[in-house]
Amino acid sequence: MTSQPTFPSQVWLTNARLLTMMAGDAGYQVSSPTTVHIKGGRIASIGLPLPSTDTIPTIDCANRLVTPGFIDCHTHLIYAGNRANEFEMRLNGKSYQEISANGGGILATVSATRTASEEQLIELALPRLDGLLRCGVTTVEVKSGYGLTLKDELKMLRAAKALQDHRSVNVCTTLLAAHATPPEYANRPSAYIDYVCNEIIPAVSEQSLASSVDVFCESIGFDLAQTEQVFLTAQQHGLAIKGHTEQLSNLGGSALTAKYQGLSVDHIEYLDEQGVKALAENGTVATLLPGAFYFLKETQQPPIALLRKHQVPMAVATDINPGTSPFADLTMMMNMSCTLFGLTPEEALRGVTSNAARALGLADQTGQLQVGYQADLAIWDIDHPADFSYLQGVTRLHARLVGGQVDYV
Ligand code: DI6
Ligand code: FE
């Protein structure tokens, strides 16, 4: 991806066929060719005539489709090491849980990530980030969770934020110190959770290194009481809440996350109707991660029909990580959310735009083409919106705009 000269103050898009992704059916209808005026990094107007002066910078979209920039609302982009060996072990009959119990899994990545410097973590993450940018991503959430000490969690979060200095992208960071119990606390998960609550969350909040706190609530992660302790502490520090919940079993973590007005619950293959109702009542987004479902060869389907019945907004994300979803490709996740989970292409597109923004607490800033929103846009060589979830492996992105700054493919 090469950067071209950018337009500091304003630019007009012309001949843009818009897919606004605003609420309602109209948001998924392609407009006739029109204009978008971008000023000060925001969308200043849509559909106004171009001013009759030739000094104003314009981008002729030549009837291309223009969408909100895509949002990958769940990633573990920052990590060191490689776990292809575990992929082989799983294909030779070991389960993800068995590998974890024997020192592999998340802890294998923790040891490699602790050894790496901040600069090395950035260098390792950039090719993965580039994969996402080629899918039209303009905002990416990045979690910590492979450091599991104060020093290493802060290092991961700083590396995640620094990606913005290397690429044109908005980065939203999440503290996932409660991802696994580190070796120093083996068999003492509660003592580790005390450390997370007493040391890590206060420091992260103080240094403004994350906007949310996430917990892996699972038999191989943390139980409900430990999860609740983290949520309470996060709330006391003014941080938003997210959950890795109901991925491998039904512990009730999603309902707990919803009770704390969590922004999203993620994975949720084992979620039941009671949990779905809790999401609906609290406006919590259900984030689907089909890459992990596919890569772990899971068979338990997330409850899509119940999510629709109770009108829970669904997001779709890559969950890119070295253990369960080694896929730096959000478009492929859209495809998989349709083929594996039965989403419609429209639902998949909402899942990476307006609903993904909501999963990050950014619903009033990005993820839709609306006046006043950040000018985060993608311009595509695509005819019909269903094509995003359909043809794979071909880059059809023409350009991205992040806060009005243009980046050509
Ligand atoms: N669930 C996942 O799928 C990832 N983390 C989590 O809590 C897996 C992370 C890994 O295996 O490295
Ligand atoms: Fe994850």
Side-chain angles (χ1 to χ4, degrees), residues 279-332:
L279 303 184
E281 281 157 19
N282 291 283
T284 302
V285 174
T287 300
L288 305 170
L289 305 173
F293 172 91
Y294 160 83
F295 195 64
L296 293 180
K297 300 211 280 179
E298 296 289 343
T299 52
Q300 173 82 24
Q301 291 266 340
I304 304 300
L306 289 172
L307 293 166
R308 285 185 185 134
K309 175 178 160 196
H310 293 283
Q311 299 182 337
V312 174
M314 293 181 277
V316 174
T318 61
D319 191 21
I320 177 173
N321 76 72
T324 65
S325 192
F327 306 117
D329 189 335
L330 188 58
T331 323
M332 189 167 75

Short mmCIF file of all heavy atoms in Angstrom, two decimals, residues 279-332:
data_model
loop_
_atom_site.label_atom_id
_atom_site.label_comp_id
_atom_site.label_asym_id
_atom_site.label_seq_id
_atom_site.Cartn_x
_atom_site.Cartn_y
_atom_site.Cartn_z
N LEU A 279 -28.37 -9.84 26.15
CA LEU A 279 -27.71 -8.94 25.19
C LEU A 279 -28.70 -7.91 24.67
O LEU A 279 -28.40 -6.70 24.60
CB LEU A 279 -27.13 -9.73 24.00
CG LEU A 279 -26.13 -10.86 24.29
CD1 LEU A 279 -25.61 -11.44 22.99
CD2 LEU A 279 -24.98 -10.36 25.15
N ALA A 280 -29.89 -8.40 24.30
CA ALA A 280 -30.91 -7.51 23.73
C ALA A 280 -31.29 -6.41 24.74
O ALA A 280 -31.43 -5.25 24.37
CB ALA A 280 -32.14 -8.32 23.34
N GLU A 281 -31.43 -6.81 26.00
CA GLU A 281 -31.86 -5.84 27.02
C GLU A 281 -30.80 -4.77 27.28
O GLU A 281 -31.12 -3.67 27.73
CB GLU A 281 -32.17 -6.56 28.34
CG GLU A 281 -33.54 -7.23 28.31
CD GLU A 281 -33.65 -8.38 29.30
OE1 GLU A 281 -32.82 -8.44 30.26
OE2 GLU A 281 -34.54 -9.22 29.12
N ASN A 282 -29.56 -5.09 27.04
CA ASN A 282 -28.48 -4.16 27.40
C ASN A 282 -27.77 -3.53 26.21
O ASN A 282 -26.78 -2.81 26.38
CB ASN A 282 -27.47 -4.87 28.29
CG ASN A 282 -28.07 -5.20 29.66
OD1 ASN A 282 -28.19 -4.33 30.50
ND2 ASN A 282 -28.49 -6.43 29.84
N GLY A 283 -28.26 -3.82 25.01
CA GLY A 283 -27.64 -3.21 23.82
C GLY A 283 -26.23 -3.72 23.54
O GLY A 283 -25.43 -3.02 22.93
N THR A 284 -25.94 -4.94 23.99
CA THR A 284 -24.61 -5.50 23.76
C THR A 284 -24.55 -6.17 22.39
O THR A 284 -25.47 -6.89 22.00
CB THR A 284 -24.30 -6.53 24.88
OG1 THR A 284 -24.38 -5.85 26.14
CG2 THR A 284 -22.93 -7.15 24.72
N VAL A 285 -23.49 -5.93 21.66
CA VAL A 285 -23.33 -6.49 20.31
C VAL A 285 -22.83 -7.93 20.40
O VAL A 285 -21.99 -8.26 21.26
CB VAL A 285 -22.32 -5.64 19.50
CG1 VAL A 285 -22.01 -6.28 18.15
CG2 VAL A 285 -22.84 -4.22 19.32
N ALA A 286 -23.32 -8.79 19.52
CA ALA A 286 -22.84 -10.17 19.41
C ALA A 286 -21.80 -10.22 18.29
O ALA A 286 -22.14 -10.01 17.12
CB ALA A 286 -24.00 -11.09 19.07
N THR A 287 -20.55 -10.44 18.65
CA THR A 287 -19.49 -10.47 17.62
C THR A 287 -19.19 -11.91 17.23
O THR A 287 -18.82 -12.73 18.08
CB THR A 287 -18.22 -9.77 18.14
OG1 THR A 287 -18.55 -8.42 18.46
CG2 THR A 287 -17.13 -9.78 17.08
N LEU A 288 -19.35 -12.19 15.95
CA LEU A 288 -19.14 -13.54 15.42
C LEU A 288 -17.73 -13.65 14.86
O LEU A 288 -17.26 -12.74 14.15
CB LEU A 288 -20.16 -13.82 14.32
CG LEU A 288 -21.62 -13.61 14.75
CD1 LEU A 288 -22.55 -13.66 13.54
CD2 LEU A 288 -22.03 -14.65 15.79
N LEU A 289 -17.07 -14.75 15.19
CA LEU A 289 -15.68 -14.94 14.78
C LEU A 289 -15.56 -16.27 14.02
O LEU A 289 -15.10 -17.28 14.57
CB LEU A 289 -14.77 -14.91 16.02
CG LEU A 289 -14.93 -13.65 16.89
CD1 LEU A 289 -14.15 -13.76 18.19
CD2 LEU A 289 -14.49 -12.40 16.12
N PRO A 290 -15.99 -16.28 12.77
CA PRO A 290 -16.06 -17.55 12.05
C PRO A 290 -14.68 -18.16 11.76
O PRO A 290 -14.58 -19.37 11.56
CB PRO A 290 -16.78 -17.19 10.73
CG PRO A 290 -16.62 -15.71 10.60
CD PRO A 290 -16.54 -15.16 11.98
N GLY A 291 -13.62 -17.35 11.78
CA GLY A 291 -12.29 -17.88 11.53
C GLY A 291 -11.89 -18.88 12.62
O GLY A 291 -11.35 -19.95 12.32
N ALA A 292 -12.16 -18.54 13.88
CA ALA A 292 -11.80 -19.44 14.99
C ALA A 292 -12.68 -20.69 14.95
O ALA A 292 -12.20 -21.81 15.19
CB ALA A 292 -11.95 -18.71 16.33
N PHE A 293 -13.94 -20.52 14.63
CA PHE A 293 -14.88 -21.66 14.51
C PHE A 293 -14.36 -22.63 13.44
O PHE A 293 -14.27 -23.84 13.66
CB PHE A 293 -16.25 -21.11 14.12
CG PHE A 293 -17.29 -22.13 13.78
CD1 PHE A 293 -18.12 -22.65 14.77
CD2 PHE A 293 -17.46 -22.57 12.47
CE1 PHE A 293 -19.10 -23.59 14.44
CE2 PHE A 293 -18.43 -23.50 12.15
CZ PHE A 293 -19.25 -24.02 13.14
N TYR A 294 -13.97 -22.07 12.32
CA TYR A 294 -13.49 -22.88 11.19
C TYR A 294 -12.15 -23.55 11.52
O TYR A 294 -11.97 -24.74 11.32
CB TYR A 294 -13.36 -21.96 9.98
CG TYR A 294 -12.47 -22.44 8.87
CD1 TYR A 294 -12.94 -23.32 7.91
CD2 TYR A 294 -11.15 -21.99 8.77
CE1 TYR A 294 -12.11 -23.76 6.89
CE2 TYR A 294 -10.32 -22.42 7.76
CZ TYR A 294 -10.81 -23.30 6.82
OH TYR A 294 -9.98 -23.74 5.81
N PHE A 295 -11.23 -22.76 12.08
CA PHE A 295 -9.87 -23.27 12.27
C PHE A 295 -9.82 -24.33 13.37
O PHE A 295 -9.00 -25.24 13.33
CB PHE A 295 -8.93 -22.10 12.61
CG PHE A 295 -7.48 -22.44 12.47
CD1 PHE A 295 -6.94 -22.77 11.24
CD2 PHE A 295 -6.64 -22.43 13.57
CE1 PHE A 295 -5.59 -23.08 11.10
CE2 PHE A 295 -5.29 -22.73 13.46
CZ PHE A 295 -4.76 -23.06 12.22
N LEU A 296 -10.72 -24.22 14.37
CA LEU A 296 -10.78 -25.24 15.42
C LEU A 296 -11.72 -26.39 15.03
O LEU A 296 -11.94 -27.30 15.82
CB LEU A 296 -11.25 -24.62 16.75
CG LEU A 296 -10.29 -23.62 17.41
CD1 LEU A 296 -10.88 -23.10 18.72
CD2 LEU A 296 -8.92 -24.25 17.66
N LYS A 297 -12.25 -26.31 13.84
CA LYS A 297 -13.20 -27.32 13.34
C LYS A 297 -14.33 -27.55 14.34
O LYS A 297 -14.70 -28.68 14.66
CB LYS A 297 -12.47 -28.63 13.01
CG LYS A 297 -11.39 -28.43 11.94
CD LYS A 297 -11.18 -29.64 11.09
CE LYS A 297 -10.31 -30.68 11.77
NZ LYS A 297 -10.11 -31.87 10.95
N GLU A 298 -14.86 -26.42 14.88
CA GLU A 298 -15.97 -26.50 15.82
C GLU A 298 -17.24 -26.90 15.06
O GLU A 298 -17.36 -26.68 13.84
CB GLU A 298 -16.20 -25.14 16.49
CG GLU A 298 -15.05 -24.66 17.36
CD GLU A 298 -14.90 -25.44 18.65
OE1 GLU A 298 -15.85 -26.14 19.03
OE2 GLU A 298 -13.82 -25.37 19.26
N THR A 299 -18.19 -27.44 15.80
CA THR A 299 -19.46 -27.80 15.16
C THR A 299 -20.64 -27.06 15.80
O THR A 299 -21.71 -26.97 15.20
CB THR A 299 -19.72 -29.32 15.27
OG1 THR A 299 -19.58 -29.69 16.63
CG2 THR A 299 -18.72 -30.10 14.42
N GLN A 300 -20.45 -26.55 17.02
CA GLN A 300 -21.53 -25.82 17.69
C GLN A 300 -21.69 -24.44 17.04
O GLN A 300 -20.76 -23.62 17.06
CB GLN A 300 -21.19 -25.66 19.18
CG GLN A 300 -22.12 -24.80 19.97
CD GLN A 300 -23.39 -25.53 20.42
OE1 GLN A 300 -23.40 -26.75 20.54
NE2 GLN A 300 -24.44 -24.77 20.66
N GLN A 301 -22.86 -24.20 16.47
CA GLN A 301 -23.12 -22.94 15.74
C GLN A 301 -23.55 -21.82 16.69
O GLN A 301 -24.36 -22.08 17.59
CB GLN A 301 -24.30 -23.16 14.79
CG GLN A 301 -24.01 -24.09 13.64
CD GLN A 301 -23.59 -23.32 12.40
OE1 GLN A 301 -23.86 -22.13 12.28
NE2 GLN A 301 -22.92 -23.99 11.50
N PRO A 302 -23.13 -20.61 16.49
CA PRO A 302 -23.69 -19.50 17.28
C PRO A 302 -25.19 -19.37 16.98
O PRO A 302 -25.63 -19.71 15.87
CB PRO A 302 -22.91 -18.27 16.78
CG PRO A 302 -22.35 -18.66 15.46
CD PRO A 302 -22.18 -20.15 15.47
N PRO A 303 -25.97 -18.89 17.95
CA PRO A 303 -27.45 -18.90 17.80
C PRO A 303 -27.97 -17.76 16.94
O PRO A 303 -28.61 -16.83 17.42
CB PRO A 303 -27.92 -18.78 19.25
CG PRO A 303 -26.85 -17.98 19.91
CD PRO A 303 -25.55 -18.34 19.25
N ILE A 304 -27.70 -17.83 15.65
CA ILE A 304 -28.05 -16.73 14.74
C ILE A 304 -29.56 -16.45 14.74
O ILE A 304 -29.99 -15.29 14.80
CB ILE A 304 -27.58 -17.04 13.29
CG1 ILE A 304 -26.06 -17.32 13.26
CG2 ILE A 304 -27.94 -15.90 12.34
CD1 ILE A 304 -25.18 -16.22 13.73
N ALA A 305 -30.37 -17.52 14.70
CA ALA A 305 -31.83 -17.30 14.63
C ALA A 305 -32.31 -16.56 15.89
O ALA A 305 -33.15 -15.66 15.80
CB ALA A 305 -32.56 -18.64 14.48
N LEU A 306 -31.77 -16.93 17.04
CA LEU A 306 -32.17 -16.25 18.29
C LEU A 306 -31.68 -14.81 18.30
O LEU A 306 -32.39 -13.90 18.78
CB LEU A 306 -31.59 -16.99 19.50
CG LEU A 306 -32.22 -18.35 19.82
CD1 LEU A 306 -31.42 -19.06 20.92
CD2 LEU A 306 -33.68 -18.17 20.24
N LEU A 307 -30.49 -14.57 17.79
CA LEU A 307 -29.97 -13.19 17.75
C LEU A 307 -30.86 -12.33 16.86
O LEU A 307 -31.16 -11.18 17.19
CB LEU A 307 -28.52 -13.19 17.26
CG LEU A 307 -27.51 -13.85 18.21
CD1 LEU A 307 -26.18 -14.10 17.50
CD2 LEU A 307 -27.28 -12.99 19.46
N ARG A 308 -31.30 -12.92 15.75
CA ARG A 308 -32.21 -12.17 14.87
C ARG A 308 -33.55 -11.94 15.56
O ARG A 308 -34.08 -10.82 15.55
CB ARG A 308 -32.46 -12.96 13.57
CG ARG A 308 -31.31 -12.93 12.61
CD ARG A 308 -31.73 -13.65 11.33
NE ARG A 308 -30.62 -13.75 10.39
CZ ARG A 308 -30.30 -14.86 9.74
NH1 ARG A 308 -31.00 -15.97 9.92
NH2 ARG A 308 -29.29 -14.88 8.89
N LYS A 309 -34.08 -13.01 16.17
CA LYS A 309 -35.39 -12.91 16.83
C LYS A 309 -35.39 -11.78 17.87
O LYS A 309 -36.35 -11.03 17.98
CB LYS A 309 -35.70 -14.25 17.50
CG LYS A 309 -36.96 -14.29 18.33
CD LYS A 309 -37.20 -15.69 18.90
CE LYS A 309 -38.14 -15.64 20.09
NZ LYS A 309 -38.11 -16.88 20.88
N HIS A 310 -34.31 -11.67 18.62
CA HIS A 310 -34.27 -10.65 19.69
C HIS A 310 -33.58 -9.35 19.23
O HIS A 310 -33.27 -8.49 20.04
CB HIS A 310 -33.57 -11.23 20.92
CG HIS A 310 -34.38 -12.33 21.55
ND1 HIS A 310 -35.48 -12.09 22.34
CD2 HIS A 310 -34.25 -13.68 21.47
CE1 HIS A 310 -36.00 -13.26 22.73
NE2 HIS A 310 -35.27 -14.23 22.23
N GLN A 311 -33.32 -9.28 17.93
CA GLN A 311 -32.76 -8.06 17.31
C GLN A 311 -31.46 -7.61 17.96
O GLN A 311 -31.26 -6.42 18.22
CB GLN A 311 -33.79 -6.94 17.33
CG GLN A 311 -35.02 -7.33 16.54
CD GLN A 311 -36.06 -6.24 16.50
OE1 GLN A 311 -36.09 -5.35 17.36
NE2 GLN A 311 -36.90 -6.27 15.49
N VAL A 312 -30.60 -8.57 18.23
CA VAL A 312 -29.27 -8.23 18.75
C VAL A 312 -28.37 -7.90 17.56
O VAL A 312 -28.28 -8.68 16.61
CB VAL A 312 -28.67 -9.44 19.53
CG1 VAL A 312 -27.24 -9.15 19.96
CG2 VAL A 312 -29.55 -9.76 20.73
N PRO A 313 -27.71 -6.74 17.57
CA PRO A 313 -26.83 -6.41 16.45
C PRO A 313 -25.65 -7.39 16.38
O PRO A 313 -25.06 -7.72 17.41
CB PRO A 313 -26.34 -4.99 16.74
CG PRO A 313 -26.74 -4.70 18.15
CD PRO A 313 -27.79 -5.68 18.57
N MET A 314 -25.34 -7.84 15.17
CA MET A 314 -24.24 -8.80 15.00
C MET A 314 -23.06 -8.13 14.29
O MET A 314 -23.25 -7.46 13.27
CB MET A 314 -24.70 -9.99 14.16
CG MET A 314 -25.74 -10.85 14.83
SD MET A 314 -26.22 -12.27 13.80
CE MET A 314 -27.44 -11.53 12.73
N ALA A 315 -21.87 -8.33 14.83
CA ALA A 315 -20.64 -7.88 14.17
C ALA A 315 -19.87 -9.11 13.70
O ALA A 315 -20.12 -10.23 14.17
CB ALA A 315 -19.79 -7.05 15.13
N VAL A 316 -18.96 -8.90 12.77
CA VAL A 316 -18.11 -9.99 12.24
C VAL A 316 -16.67 -9.49 12.29
O VAL A 316 -16.40 -8.35 11.88
CB VAL A 316 -18.50 -10.34 10.78
CG1 VAL A 316 -17.54 -11.36 10.18
CG2 VAL A 316 -19.94 -10.86 10.71
N ALA A 317 -15.75 -10.31 12.81
CA ALA A 317 -14.36 -9.87 12.92
C ALA A 317 -13.42 -11.04 12.64
O ALA A 317 -13.85 -12.20 12.58
CB ALA A 317 -14.11 -9.30 14.32
N THR A 318 -12.13 -10.72 12.49
CA THR A 318 -11.17 -11.79 12.15
C THR A 318 -10.71 -12.57 13.36
O THR A 318 -10.33 -13.73 13.24
CB THR A 318 -9.90 -11.22 11.48
OG1 THR A 318 -9.25 -10.32 12.39
CG2 THR A 318 -10.22 -10.53 10.17
N ASP A 319 -10.62 -11.92 14.55
CA ASP A 319 -10.00 -12.56 15.73
C ASP A 319 -8.56 -12.96 15.39
O ASP A 319 -8.03 -13.91 15.98
CB ASP A 319 -10.81 -13.78 16.17
CG ASP A 319 -10.39 -14.35 17.52
OD1 ASP A 319 -9.77 -13.63 18.31
OD2 ASP A 319 -10.68 -15.54 17.78
N ILE A 320 -7.93 -12.29 14.44
CA ILE A 320 -6.60 -12.78 14.00
C ILE A 320 -5.70 -13.00 15.21
O ILE A 320 -5.48 -12.10 16.02
CB ILE A 320 -5.94 -11.86 12.95
CG1 ILE A 320 -4.55 -12.43 12.65
CG2 ILE A 320 -5.91 -10.40 13.35
CD1 ILE A 320 -3.81 -11.77 11.53
N ASN A 321 -5.22 -14.24 15.33
CA ASN A 321 -4.31 -14.63 16.41
C ASN A 321 -3.59 -15.90 15.98
O ASN A 321 -4.04 -16.59 15.05
CB ASN A 321 -5.10 -14.82 17.72
CG ASN A 321 -5.89 -16.11 17.75
OD1 ASN A 321 -5.32 -17.20 17.88
ND2 ASN A 321 -7.21 -16.02 17.62
N PRO A 322 -2.47 -16.23 16.63
CA PRO A 322 -1.67 -17.35 16.12
C PRO A 322 -2.22 -18.73 16.47
O PRO A 322 -1.77 -19.73 15.90
CB PRO A 322 -0.32 -17.15 16.83
CG PRO A 322 -0.66 -16.41 18.08
CD PRO A 322 -1.82 -15.53 17.73
N GLY A 323 -3.20 -18.81 17.37
CA GLY A 323 -3.66 -20.12 17.82
C GLY A 323 -4.94 -20.59 17.18
O GLY A 323 -5.08 -21.76 16.80
N THR A 324 -5.92 -19.68 17.05
CA THR A 324 -7.24 -20.15 16.63
C THR A 324 -7.78 -19.46 15.38
O THR A 324 -8.83 -19.88 14.87
CB THR A 324 -8.28 -19.95 17.76
OG1 THR A 324 -8.45 -18.55 17.99
CG2 THR A 324 -7.84 -20.62 19.05
N SER A 325 -7.11 -18.43 14.90
CA SER A 325 -7.65 -17.75 13.72
C SER A 325 -6.53 -17.00 12.98
O SER A 325 -6.45 -15.78 13.02
CB SER A 325 -8.77 -16.77 14.13
OG SER A 325 -9.48 -16.32 13.00
N PRO A 326 -5.65 -17.74 12.31
CA PRO A 326 -4.52 -17.08 11.64
C PRO A 326 -4.92 -16.49 10.28
O PRO A 326 -4.38 -16.86 9.25
CB PRO A 326 -3.50 -18.23 11.51
CG PRO A 326 -4.32 -19.47 11.45
CD PRO A 326 -5.58 -19.20 12.23
N PHE A 327 -5.85 -15.55 10.31
CA PHE A 327 -6.42 -15.02 9.07
C PHE A 327 -6.47 -13.50 9.08
O PHE A 327 -7.31 -12.91 9.76
CB PHE A 327 -7.85 -15.55 8.87
CG PHE A 327 -7.94 -17.05 8.92
CD1 PHE A 327 -8.68 -17.68 9.91
CD2 PHE A 327 -7.26 -17.83 8.00
CE1 PHE A 327 -8.75 -19.08 9.96
CE2 PHE A 327 -7.33 -19.22 8.05
CZ PHE A 327 -8.07 -19.84 9.04
N ALA A 328 -5.58 -12.88 8.32
CA ALA A 328 -5.58 -11.41 8.23
C ALA A 328 -6.46 -11.00 7.06
O ALA A 328 -6.02 -10.30 6.15
CB ALA A 328 -4.15 -10.91 8.04
N ASP A 329 -7.71 -11.44 7.06
CA ASP A 329 -8.56 -11.24 5.90
C ASP A 329 -10.02 -11.08 6.36
O ASP A 329 -10.71 -12.07 6.61
CB ASP A 329 -8.41 -12.45 4.97
CG ASP A 329 -9.08 -12.23 3.64
OD1 ASP A 329 -10.03 -11.43 3.57
OD2 ASP A 329 -8.68 -12.87 2.65
N LEU A 330 -10.46 -9.84 6.45
CA LEU A 330 -11.82 -9.59 6.95
C LEU A 330 -12.87 -9.98 5.91
O LEU A 330 -13.97 -10.43 6.26
CB LEU A 330 -11.97 -8.12 7.35
CG LEU A 330 -13.26 -7.74 8.06
CD1 LEU A 330 -13.46 -8.54 9.35
CD2 LEU A 330 -13.29 -6.24 8.38
N THR A 331 -12.54 -9.82 4.62
CA THR A 331 -13.51 -10.18 3.58
C THR A 331 -13.80 -11.68 3.61
O THR A 331 -14.93 -12.12 3.42
CB THR A 331 -12.99 -9.77 2.19
OG1 THR A 331 -12.29 -8.54 2.31
CG2 THR A 331 -14.10 -9.58 1.21
N MET A 332 -12.76 -12.46 3.87
CA MET A 332 -12.97 -13.90 3.96
C MET A 332 -13.85 -14.24 5.17
O MET A 332 -14.65 -15.18 5.13
CB MET A 332 -11.64 -14.64 4.05
CG MET A 332 -11.80 -16.14 3.93
SD MET A 332 -10.24 -16.98 3.64
CE MET A 332 -9.50 -16.91 5.24
#
